[in-house]
Amino acid sequence: MPTLYHHPMSSASRFVRLILTEYGYQTDLIEEQTWEKRRDFLALNPAGTLPVYVDDSMRALCGAAVISEYLDETHGVLKRDRRLLAEDPFQRAEIRRLTEWFMQKMETDVTKPLARERVYKLQMTADQGGGAPDSKILRTARANIRQHMKYLTWLAGSRQWLAGDRMSYADLAAASAVSILDYLGEIDWSEAPVVKDWYQRLKSRPSFRPLLTERVRGLTPVSHYADLDF
């Protein structure tokens, strides 16, 4: 069976996991602590980043963008109305633009610094960069949440789904990032009712169930994290 190297607080890993589950594709999951720089993992991906997908022939695909394109070409094209990347070239471009926004810009501005300061550093040794969270980094990331939630509010309020009339990679990428922030209790949902309605639709899908039942060692999620009617 194919294998996915991931971390539960990696939005890129969550994105790929959602795609795989939406397409009904089963994989073995291996949680990887990238800061440990394991030799076997670096042999698969010298960049040392997640996620990494290894197929039945032991061929490794590295990075969410590469894996998602591969899955579309090998599985998505057979799904017709359930395809997560549109057939129209302009619509595909919009889906890719938004997917990149959430997987790169939001990741850099918000998701990655909060996950590192609040989760990863608790699991790292001092030599690996672990220790107390940096309050300045936390303040900056939290301030950035508001801007991204405003953009999400506009997208969710002006379209049926973020990139158009059908659910797509854009929705899964955004939901992957939002789900991590929600786990950490970083979102004030009273300020983003439109985003909350959109997220509830994603959160209620069967593909989301494995994410909602997962727990990070030593860090309990907010009480409403797994509640579909929060």
Side-chain angles (χ1 to χ4, degrees):
M1 183 180 293
T3 301
L4 184 72
Y5 291 82
H6 78 111
H7 191 281
M9 287 290 107
S10 158
S11 60
S13 297
R14 288 188 170 214
F15 173 52
V16 171
R17 289 177 63 185
L18 287 172
I19 296 171
L20 289 166
T21 310
E22 285 288 338
Y23 282 161
Y25 206 61
Q26 295 185 339
T27 57
D28 285 330
L29 295 175
I30 296 179
E31 184 175 326
E32 186 67 32
Q33 318 285 353
T34 56
W35 51 87
E36 293 180 354
K37 300 180 180 179
R38 290 193 311 112
R39 182 176 298 178
D40 288 347
F41 179 68
L42 292 175
L44 294 172
N45 182 14
T49 56
L50 292 171
V52 174
Y53 176 84
V54 181
D55 70 9
D56 288 326
S57 300
M58 295 303 294
R59 298 175 299 184
L61 295 170
C62 306
V66 172
I67 298 170
S68 65
E69 291 287 339
Y70 170 81
L71 293 175
D72 177 71
E73 292 173 0
T74 57
H75 294 78
V77 293
L78 306 175
K79 297 298 181 179
R80 297 188 178 181
D81 60 335
R82 291 181 54 232
R83 188 178 183 182
L84 296 168
L85 192 59
E87 296 181 7
D88 176 74
F90 186 85
Q91 191 65 30
R92 281 203 306 271
E94 175 65 356
I95 293 170
R96 287 178 173 128
R97 180 186 74 84
L98 290 174
T99 299
E100 182 177 306
W101 177 278
F102 295 110
M103 287 289 96
Q104 294 188 26
K105 176 145 182 73
M106 189 171 180
E107 175 79 0
T108 300
D109 291 350
V110 178
T111 322
K112 186 175 181 179
L114 285 175
R116 176 178 172 81
E117 296 302 317
R118 294 197 54 195
V119 183
Y120 300 159
K121 288 176 76 171
L122 297 177
Q123 301 175 356
M124 296 174 176
T125 65
D127 291 340
Q128 293 169 336
D134 186 316
S135 59
K136 182 178 180 180
I137 292 176
L138 290 176
R139 282 196 304 272
T140 301
R142 284 166 175 161
N144 289 335
I145 291 176
R146 292 174 181 161
Q147 297 305 313
H148 284 278
M149 293 302 283
K150 286 180 181 179
Y151 188 41
L152 261 172
T153 295
W154 182 83
L155 290 170
S158 60
R159 302 169 176 183
Q160 185 171 350
W161 294 94
L162 297 189
D165 294 334
R166 283 166 46 181
M167 188 183 74
S168 70
Y169 279 170
D171 296 280
L172 301 187
S176 297
V178 167
S179 66
I180 290 176
L181 300 180
D182 192 40
Y183 187 105
L184 298 174
E186 294 287 353
I187 298 177
D188 183 352
W189 288 112
S190 66
E191 295 183 353
V194 175
V195 180
K196 181 179 178 180
D197 290 344
W198 162 83
Y199 183 53
Q200 280 182 312
R201 283 192 286 159
L202 270 297
K203 194 177 180 180
S204 299
R205 297 184 68 82
S207 61
F208 236 86
R209 290 172 189 163
L211 302 184
L212 297 178
T213 58
E214 267 187 348
R215 297 294 179 266
V216 177
R217 177 170 43 86
L219 186 63
T220 303
V222 293
S223 59
H224 66 257
Y225 175 68
D227 186 358
L228 302 183
D229 296 316
F230 68 109

